[in-house]
Amino acid sequence: MQTEPEITAALVEAHGLKPDEYQRILDLIGREPSFTELGIFSAMWNEHCSYKSSKKWLRTLPTTGTRVICGPGENAGIVDIGDGQCVVFKMESHNHPSYIEPYQGAGTGMGGILRDVFTMGARPIAAMNSLSFGRPEHPKTRRLINGVVEGIGGYGNCFGVPTIGGELRFDPAYDGNCLVNAFAAGLADTDKIFYSAASGVGRPVVYLGAKTGRDGVGGATMASAEFDDTIEDKRPTVQVGDPFTEKRLMEATLELMATGAVISIQDMGAAGLTCSAVEMGDKGNLGIRLDLDKVPVRERDMSAYEMMLSESQERMLMVLDPEKEDIAKAVFDKWDLDFAIVGHTIAEDRFVVMHANTLKADLPLKALSGEAPEYDRPWVPAPAPAPLGALPPLDPIAALLTLIGSPNHCSRAWVYEQYDTMVMADTVLPPGADAGVVRVHGTKKALAFTADVTPRYCRANPFRGGAQAVAEAYRNLCATGAIPLATTDNLNFGNPEKPEIMGEFVGCIKGISAAVTALDMPIVSGNVSLYNETDGQGILPTPTIGAVGLLTSLDDMITMRPEAGQHMILLGESRGHLGQSAYLAEVLGRREGDAPEVDLEAERAAGELVRALWAQDLITAAHDLSDGGLALAATEMALAGQTGINLAPGDAGWFFGEDQGRYLLATETVDSLLTAARKAAVAARVVGRFGGTEIRLGEATVPLARIKKAFESGLDALTSA
């Protein structure tokens, strides 16, 4: 019989609970908790699970809309796409585990987000990832990027879901904390959606999937703390994944759902059995009684504490229709997966845990969720950024070569070529475009996906940075011909107990709220990842926005491939904004000035015009302008179309300014396009032509072949043997 440790102040602190939080526990239960109960409170009340520093501000996000079926609070968000179908999607972080153990951390992040989708009855059809690493020359970066990319590919490829987009960045702010944000989307019928709220007293609580081990014990608590020089000691808290088991679990779960046996179902993710059981009971206003002797385990002598906090992967918890127990068990036997009745629902507001015929926990269930601390953290507005100083003379070609050959702006083919982008045979537009596009199987429809944020904007001006992340996602969808539907967010920040960090969080939330309202892209799901700090050094504020758009027909899809001889039209106002630009950061090594202004009305007008121009056959290609401005966007289109460009002359602001709300279009019908733009009150002008074998910026030229070589070799130092 294992002896449980004495509850001491040091043990409470090791569980991430502050003295006042522990006192709150004592007041709630009227006694000292057992070791297992302490672990349960630690799991449910940590930042990762309870959102105790962010709940106040998350409630301000717009989450409803005419197409929204299910907003935040479930495993994933759900949006109607017509014809009795819906898209189910979410984005989550696996930052801390990926920094400690890159391969398993990234792979299990992929596994977790896929379970969130198929737990709701949807078959996954697409995945994306947003990755942030430290300086390319940092001693840890090479190991991290190779391990993370291999982990994502290893899990996603084996599971069988196409990875069709994402983003990759490098910055010194991520030297001590990489970010791995995973996105997944799936399709379901609107009348066959499954939720997590338990219902019915005395119904069986069933454990499904893989066996429970000691991997990941305390993972959610670890993910709610800063790193220090003891980081290597945290390696056992990282989960170990098995994508082939996950694939079987998905097929078994979807088959089980078709039998009508499922009353409610919940993924076992962060905090494992504890969080899944408590959430199901809380949402259904029921209690849960568990018998851990019935839990399938793969290691000997596991304690109640370990079983309740294990984050072993590929597991689910379900409330079952008792009349269909034999049918349900037969499905899981067929797929060679564990199926075990481990408890039942009770009428009382209790969370009761038994192990070896001994009571290990008896807690008020709703208090574990509803009574978790909620903080109104002090915050201060971000200070005004340093003004933009004088700039040196411009060499446009040298600047372009530096930009397009930098790790932040070069080809990402090394990354996405390790992913299966075509599995399931419905990928229409693979990675490398403004958005990835996947056909809705058996229909003429398609869905477009993108993930966006510019962290240096968010540091300089959190409001504008938050709004710009949404606006860029909107542009990427519109540039692909899709109607923007909704968004998911992954809010990555440093220590919220620092008022300046909390100020960044609040500012970004306000900017995101304004943008999703103006652009009609409500937030339907998401994740908050705080304490991304090492030795007190935090990351850049990185509120990643994942967005989904609908193409009612594949005929609506726009690519960024122009043809030689076509005219180049710049849509949107250009004022030459260079503050916080990629040109400043990559070419001059400076970070000054304010983030660009985001005119949300102009964004919407320009995006709607792009789709209208395509519908009228007035454009042949489109690309949004973001990092690197006009010169970089035109060059990216040139590389996509394998043709040169001739761009009108100008200064640094003209070539590399990052004014928002802009698109670059290819057309053969200039007059008609300009007339349509005038009618829509959107600025438009001819800025050059596609054609030839050179990139011409005003009077300066460079062979397209040289640009292509720089573009394709930008990650060589990190990825070559």
Side-chain angles (χ1 to χ4, degrees):
M1 187 75 163
Q2 294 178 337
T3 302
E4 293 192 346
E6 179 186 356
I7 307 298
T8 64
L11 188 65
V12 170
E13 183 180 6
H15 280 74
L17 293 164
K18 299 188 185 306
D20 60 326
E21 293 174 337
Y22 182 64
Q23 184 59 52
R24 189 169 184 163
I25 292 170
L26 297 178
D27 294 341
L28 273 171
I29 65 176
R31 57 178 171 79
E32 182 180 87
S34 69
F35 181 53
T36 300
E37 289 174 332
L38 180 68
I40 289 170
F41 270 108
S42 169
M44 292 304 301
W45 284 15
N46 64 54
E47 194 73 60
H48 191 77
C49 292
S50 74
Y51 296 92
K52 58 190 176 186
S53 296
S54 57
K55 275 192 286 193
K56 171 183 174 175
W57 296 102
L58 294 178
R59 293 190 189 102
T60 67
L61 288 168
T63 59
T64 59
T66 56
R67 289 183 178 267
V68 176
I69 295 173
C70 177
E74 275 291 341
N75 287 296
I78 308 177
V79 175
D80 195 326
I81 60 170
D83 305 311
Q85 292 179 301
C86 56
V87 58
V88 180
F89 63 98
K90 190 181 183 183
M91 182 181 289
E92 279 200 344
S93 61
H94 233 222
N95 304 335
H96 286 61
S98 298
Y99 189 76
I100 297 168
E101 180 51 63
Y103 182 89
Q104 293 294 351
T108 52
M110 186 82 159
I113 199 67
L114 289 167
R115 285 195 305 280
D116 281 336
V117 168
F118 69 75
T119 299
M120 301 202 72
R123 181 173 291 275
I125 61 163
M128 295 190 295
N129 51 79
S130 176
L131 310 177
S132 304
F133 298 100
R135 292 164 293 158
E137 64 273 18
H138 190 276
K140 287 191 175 182
T141 299
R142 185 185 179 97
R143 171 179 169 266
L144 288 172
I145 186 175
N146 280 273
V148 164
V149 170
E150 188 178 352
I152 292 169
Y155 205 104
N157 296 351
C158 294
F159 178 87
V161 63
T163 298
I164 47 82
E167 55 178 359
L168 170 67
R169 70 179 56 83
F170 301 89
D171 190 277
Y174 305 102
D175 281 350
N177 292 82
C178 66
L179 300 184
V180 176
N181 294 173
F183 169 100
L187 286 173
D189 293 336
T190 54
D191 61 350
K192 296 175 183 175
I193 298 167
F194 289 81
Y195 296 99
S196 59
S199 64
V201 175
R203 282 179 165 160
V205 174
V206 184
Y207 174 112
L208 308 169
K211 288 179 168 58
T212 294
R214 290 187 170 95
D215 55 316
V217 173
T221 300
M222 175 272 293
S224 303
E226 292 184 33
F227 285 155
D228 53 28
D229 56 8
T230 65
I231 184 173
E232 291 301 321
D233 298 337
K234 297 179 172 67
R235 192 175 300 275
T237 63
V238 177
Q239 309 90 334
V240 178
D242 179 354
F244 297 108
T245 297
E246 176 113 337
K247 172 67 170 176
R248 288 185 290 125
L249 178 61
M250 178 191 73
E251 297 296 350
T253 301
L254 295 179
E255 185 175 331
L256 177 64
M257 288 169 169
T259 69
V262 178
I263 303 298
S264 60
I265 190 164
Q266 175 72 39
D267 163 44
M268 276 197 230
L273 189 55
T274 291
C275 194
S276 57
V278 169
E279 287 188 359
M280 290 177 77
D282 180 47
K283 291 174 184 175
N285 293 312
L286 291 170
I288 301 282
R289 182 183 178 92
L290 296 179
D291 181 355
L292 299 187
D293 294 331
K294 306 290 180 60
V295 171
V297 294
R298 65 169 184 259
E299 299 185 49
R300 296 182 61 184
D301 300 323
M302 287 190 69
S303 67
Y305 176 96
E306 290 170 327
M307 280 191 267
M308 292 306 296
L309 270 67
S310 168
E311 294 182 10
S312 294
Q313 297 293 285
E314 294 85 44
R315 302 180 302 159
M316 318 273 268
L317 202 64
M318 173 183 72
V319 174
L320 172 73
D321 180 345
E323 295 182 0
K324 297 186 177 180
E325 179 185 332
D326 291 343
I327 296 172
K329 187 176 186 308
V331 170
F332 272 74
D333 286 346
K334 167 189 167 182
W335 288 99
D336 193 24
L337 291 165
D338 279 294
F339 176 99
I341 295 176
V342 297
H344 57 272
T345 57
I346 58 178
E348 299 79 18
D349 176 27
R350 309 301 299 171
F351 186 43
V352 180
V353 179
M354 302 293 295
H355 185 224
N357 295 316
T358 303
L359 181 66
K360 292 294 184 178
D362 185 357
L363 300 169
L365 187 144
K366 292 194 77 66
L368 289 168
S369 177
E371 294 294 329
E374 181 175 339
Y375 296 117
D376 185 1
R377 300 280 191 196
W379 61 278
V380 295
L388 182 59
L391 301 180
L394 172 69
D395 181 339
I397 296 301
L400 179 62
L401 283 166
T402 298
L403 267 175
I404 207 158
S406 70
N408 276 317
H409 304 288
C410 67
S411 169
R412 273 76 179 101
W414 175 85
V415 176
Y416 60 71
E417 285 175 358
Q418 296 186 58
Y419 305 151
D420 191 334
T421 61
M422 303 301 293
V423 64
M424 300 174 72
D426 280 320
T427 301
V428 182
L429 199 56
D434 285 312
V437 177
V438 175
R439 180 189 297 107
V440 177
H441 194 76
T443 75
K444 295 181 179 180
K445 297 182 296 189
L447 291 166
F449 304 97
T450 186
D452 299 285
V453 67
T454 308
R456 63 180 184 276
Y457 292 172
C458 296
R459 171 60 55 82
N461 189 321
F463 181 90
R464 288 186 180 182
Q468 190 274 340
V470 177
E472 186 174 345
Y474 178 85
R475 289 198 302 275
N476 280 328
L477 295 176
C478 291
T480 314
I483 302 165
L485 296 180
T487 49
T488 180
D489 58 12
N490 204 145
L491 307 174
N492 309 273
F493 291 82
N495 185 343
E497 296 169 48
K498 297 178 178 178
E500 64 273 19
I501 300 298
M502 200 64 205
E504 292 175 346
F505 182 86
V506 171
C508 286
I509 286 281
K510 290 182 176 182
I512 290 168
S513 295
V516 298
T517 299
L519 301 176
D520 195 17
M521 298 170 69
I523 299 280
V524 298
S525 59
N527 173 245
V528 179
S529 176
L530 302 176
Y531 295 97
N532 290 288
E533 295 201 5
T534 296
D535 294 328
Q537 297 298 310
I539 61 165
L540 290 174
T542 312
T544 309
I545 298 294
V548 178
L550 175 66
L551 295 107
T552 54
S553 167
L554 279 173
D555 294 338
D556 297 336
M557 189 180 77
I558 310 170
T559 73
M560 56 186 283
R561 296 188 297 270
E563 294 183 7
Q566 293 179 336
H567 295 274
M568 196 184 299
I569 305 293
L570 177 61
L571 209 64
E573 293 283 356
S574 293
R575 301 179 181 86
H577 185 96
L578 285 170
Q580 301 299 328
S581 64
Y583 170 75
L584 219 61
E586 300 285 353
V587 179
L588 303 182
R590 292 162 56 175
R591 290 201 176 174
E592 302 164 20
D594 206 345
E597 182 182 353
V598 182
D599 184 333
L600 294 167
E601 288 186 9
E603 287 281 2
R604 185 155 188 166
E608 290 175 349
L609 177 60
V610 169
R611 300 197 305 273
L613 292 172
W614 177 263
Q616 297 168 45
D617 292 325
L618 296 180
I619 59 174
T620 59
H623 186 28
D624 88 300
L625 269 67
S626 53
D627 275 1
L630 175 60
L632 194 61
T635 303
E636 289 168 345
M637 290 184 77
L639 289 168
Q642 301 181 57
T643 179
I645 57 171
N646 188 339
L647 198 57
D651 58 9
W654 167 248
F655 287 125
F656 301 109
E658 296 180 5
D659 302 285
Q660 300 296 294
R662 299 187 300 163
Y663 298 80
L664 196 58
L665 311 175
T667 185
E668 295 173 347
T669 53
V670 173
D671 291 342
S672 296
L673 191 160
L674 295 178
T675 298
R678 278 195 298 272
K679 288 181 179 177
V682 177
R685 58 180 290 192
V686 179
V687 295
R689 292 190 82 150
F690 296 98
T693 60
E694 293 181 326
I695 300 294
R696 178 179 292 274
L697 305 182
E699 299 302 315
T701 63
V702 62
L704 180 62
R706 187 178 173 194
I707 289 286
K708 182 179 179 183
K709 183 177 179 181
F711 180 64
E712 293 178 348
S713 61
L715 292 178
D716 283 358
L718 275 169
T719 59
S720 57

